[in-house]
Amino acid sequence: MQLRYNYRAYPDAAQCRALAKAFGCARVVWNDCLRDRKQAHAAGLPYVKSADLSRVRITQAKRTAERAWLADVSAVVLQQSLRDLDTAYKNFFDSLSGKRKGRKVGPPRYKSKKDTRQSIRLNTNAFSLKDDGTVYVAKVGNLKVKWSRRLPTTPTSLTVTKDSCGRYFLSFVVDTQPDALPEVETDTGIDLGLAAFAVLSDGRKIDSKRFLRRAEKKLKRLQRELSRRVKGSKNRTKARIKVARQHAKVTNRRRDFHHKASTQIIRENQAVYVENLDVSSLGRTRLAKSVHDAGWSAFVGMLEYKAVKHGRTFAKVDRAFPSSQICSACGFRDGAKPLHVREWTCNACGTVHERDHNAARNVLFEGRRIVAAGRAETQNACGAPVRRAHVPAQRGEAGSPRKSPSTQAGIPGLRSGSTSSWEA
C-alpha cells in the first residue's frame, strides 16, 4: 500500500527563488499543454498526444527566446507537470464514462501564479536523501528538513509544496507492507454528530473540539485588518499571510485531533463501522460551518486507510439506514424524530434510549450484518463501498509507523529505537 509523509522544509533565500522559478515553469507547461488541447477540441481535431506536447511545449520551447528560461529548471519538473495534466484528463474522461465512482470530476483548468498553493512533483531521478539530513532537489539544492518521524522505506516520489502562508513542505510517497496489529475481540459502531464529535456503540463519547469556533474571535479581528488594507500594497500582503497562518493553525489542530482519535479507535477494535453521511449536502444547510468544522469526511478517510494498513475490518453503513428510528434493544422501528429529541422511550419494549448511543449500536448491528452477508452495499444503498479496496496515498500526513525495525532511508539522528512524540 502507499502512504504519504509530510515534512516541513526550510529553504534559504536562493532556494526559495529557485523553487519559485520551478513552480512557475511547471505552471506554464501545464497551461500551454492545456491550451493546445482545448484549441484542438474546439477545432474538431483529434486529442493531442502527450508525446507531441512534450516535444513542442518542452523540448522545442526551450530553444525559443520566449521560453528559454524553461531550461533553468529540472526537466523532470516539466515532464511531471505534463503527466499530471494527463492524469487530470483521465479522471475527467473516466468520470464522464462512469468508470470513476463518486462525485463528478470537471475538466482541467488553467493555473494561476496567484493560487494559494504552488507545487511541483519529482520522481527519484530528481531528488535524493542525503546523509546529513538534507534532501537534494535537482537545480534547487540541498533543502533543510525537519524530520519529525522516520520514513519506513525509500520514497518513490516527492512533491514540494508552498502553501498560502509561505511555508514549504516535502511530501514523500512510499510503498509499504500492511502493519497488522494483534487481533482483538471487540468491534464498534460510530455515530458522528455535532454536539459530540463521535459516539461509540459502547457508550463512549468523543467531545467536539470546535477548532474553528474557538478561533473565530481572532480570525474576525485579522479579517477586519485585512479589509482595511489597500489592495496591492505590501501591508495587505502581510495581513493576508496573518489570516492564512491562523487558518493553518486551525487545520493543523483539527488534523492532529483526527489522527489521534482514529488511531485509538483502530487499535482498540477489530472492526469499525460508520455511517456514510452526505457531508456535501449537509454543508449547504444552516449547520454548514459546524459541519465543516467537524471534518467528518477527513476523519472517515483516516479510519478507512488505517484499517487497511493495520489489518482491520472497515465498513460504511448507508446513509438511508434509519439508525435513529430503530430500537437497538428489540428492533422496533419507532418512526422519525426531530433533532431536538435527544432521549426517547421505545413504545414496544419500554427501553429508554439516548439518541446518539442508540444510533451507534444500530450502526454496529447493521455493519456486522453487511460484513457477514458479504455484500458490498446495503439493500437500500446508493453506492457505499464496504469491501476493502486499494487505498491511495492520502494528501494529509500519514503519521509514524509503530515500533518496529524500519529503513532509515538516509535520515541521520533517527535510529530504529527512537520514536516520535505521537503516532497516528
Side-chain angles (χ1 to χ4, degrees):
M1 64 179 300
Q2 288 185 329
L3 292 178
R4 187 184 296 275
Y5 288 78
N6 288 349
Y7 301 89
R8 179 80 178 271
Y10 296 90
D12 56 28
Q15 292 171 344
C16 286
R17 290 192 294 269
L19 286 173
K21 185 178 296 185
F23 294 149
C25 291
R27 182 177 62 250
V28 167
V29 170
W30 170 287
N31 290 341
D32 287 346
C33 296
L34 178 59
R35 186 180 302 108
D36 288 348
R37 284 180 172 167
K38 284 182 176 291
Q39 291 176 352
H41 177 71
L45 300 176
Y47 182 79
V48 184
K49 296 182 179 179
S50 300
D52 297 334
L53 290 175
S54 177
R55 183 180 65 256
V56 174
R57 290 303 180 182
I58 297 178
T59 305
Q60 296 179 2
K62 293 179 181 179
R63 303 168 186 166
T64 63
E66 295 80 6
R67 293 285 190 268
W69 34 265
L70 289 177
D72 295 339
V73 302
S74 172
V76 175
V77 172
L78 308 181
Q79 292 292 343
Q80 291 296 332
S81 181
L82 177 55
R83 291 185 181 182
D84 290 342
L85 179 62
D86 293 338
T87 302
Y89 265 108
K90 182 180 183 301
N91 293 336
F92 171 58
F93 294 145
D94 289 346
S95 181
L96 287 179
S97 63
K99 293 182 181 179
R100 182 183 177 91
K101 304 300 181 183
R103 182 183 300 178
K104 293 295 182 181
V105 177
R109 297 181 294 182
Y110 293 109
K111 294 184 178 181
S112 170
K113 64 179 180 180
K114 296 182 180 180
D115 290 342
T116 57
R117 182 179 181 273
Q118 303 286 341
S119 66
I120 56 173
R121 192 161 61 89
L122 309 166
N123 58 23
T124 53
N125 296 327
F127 78 94
S128 61
L129 304 179
K130 299 298 183 179
D131 294 334
D132 59 355
T134 60
V135 176
Y136 171 76
V137 177
K139 293 195 176 182
V140 174
N142 295 331
L143 298 178
K144 183 180 178 181
V145 183
K146 180 65 175 179
W147 296 105
S148 56
R149 64 216 69 226
R150 302 185 307 273
L151 283 173
T153 185
T154 304
T156 58
S157 70
L158 167 65
T159 302
V160 183
T161 305
K162 180 183 178 182
D163 65 5
S164 58
C165 51
R167 300 178 302 174
Y168 292 85
F169 292 93
L170 304 184
S171 178
F172 298 94
V173 174
V174 298
D175 292 319
T176 63
Q177 296 298 324
D179 185 14
L181 291 169
E183 292 189 4
V184 294
E185 297 181 355
T186 57
D187 56 357
T188 187
I190 303 176
D191 179 70
L192 300 174
L194 295 177
F197 174 74
V199 178
L200 278 60
S201 55
D202 59 4
R204 289 183 297 168
K205 292 185 178 181
I206 301 177
D207 294 333
S208 180
K209 301 299 182 179
R210 296 183 175 90
F211 297 101
L212 180 61
R213 297 288 186 180
R214 288 157 53 186
E216 268 188 326
K217 183 177 180 180
K218 187 172 184 179
L219 278 170
K220 288 179 180 179
R221 177 175 59 81
L222 294 176
Q223 290 282 9
R224 285 196 298 269
E225 293 179 0
L226 174 61
S227 66
R228 296 190 185 109
R229 300 295 182 261
V230 179
K231 291 185 178 181
S233 65
K234 293 184 177 180
N235 284 337
R236 186 178 179 86
T237 301
K238 294 178 183 178
R240 183 197 60 78
I241 293 176
K242 289 182 180 180
V243 175
R245 285 176 178 172
Q246 186 61 27
H247 278 291
K249 289 181 180 179
V250 174
T251 302
N252 292 339
R253 290 165 183 165
R254 184 188 297 114
R255 184 186 298 116
D256 181 69
F257 166 71
H258 286 166
H259 270 299
K260 291 178 178 178
S262 59
T263 298
Q264 183 178 0
I265 291 173
I266 289 296
R267 289 182 176 177
E268 293 178 351
N269 298 279
Q270 186 65 31
V272 178
Y273 313 109
V274 63
E275 189 175 5
N276 183 24
L277 296 174
D278 188 3
V279 179
S280 60
S281 296
L282 293 172
R284 294 191 293 267
T285 65
R286 60 183 179 85
L287 300 174
K289 183 180 289 188
S290 297
V291 169
H292 292 307
D293 192 11
W296 293 330
S297 294
F299 177 71
V300 173
M302 290 180 185
L303 287 174
E304 186 172 8
Y305 91 80
K306 290 180 182 181
V308 176
K309 177 183 177 182
H310 296 301
R312 302 306 201 198
T313 300
F314 177 84
K316 292 181 181 178
V317 175
D318 186 70
R319 62 179 70 107
F321 176 69
S323 59
S324 298
Q325 303 179 23
I326 299 176
C327 173
S328 60
C330 67
F332 177 73
R333 184 166 178 174
D334 213 4
K337 301 167 185 63
L339 287 177
H340 70 270
V341 177
R342 310 312 302 173
E343 188 175 287
W344 56 282
T345 303
C346 176
N347 294 327
C349 64
T351 304
V352 179
H353 293 293
E354 199 276 326
R355 182 191 183 103
D356 295 335
H357 182 210
N358 177 73
R361 286 173 54 84
N362 286 328
V363 169
L364 172 64
F365 299 148
E366 179 67 6
R368 287 174 177 173
R369 186 193 66 80
I370 295 171
V371 173
R375 285 191 289 268
E377 300 175 351
T378 56
Q379 294 179 351
N380 56 355
C382 300
V386 169
R387 293 197 184 104
R388 294 182 189 174
H390 173 72
V391 179
Q394 302 292 305
R395 290 188 64 181
E397 191 166 354
S400 302
R402 295 173 60 246
K403 296 179 181 179
S404 59
S406 62
T407 304
Q408 300 304 310
I411 305 174
L414 294 175
R415 305 305 181 201
S416 58
S418 65
T419 57
S420 58
S421 59
W422 60 273
E423 297 181 348

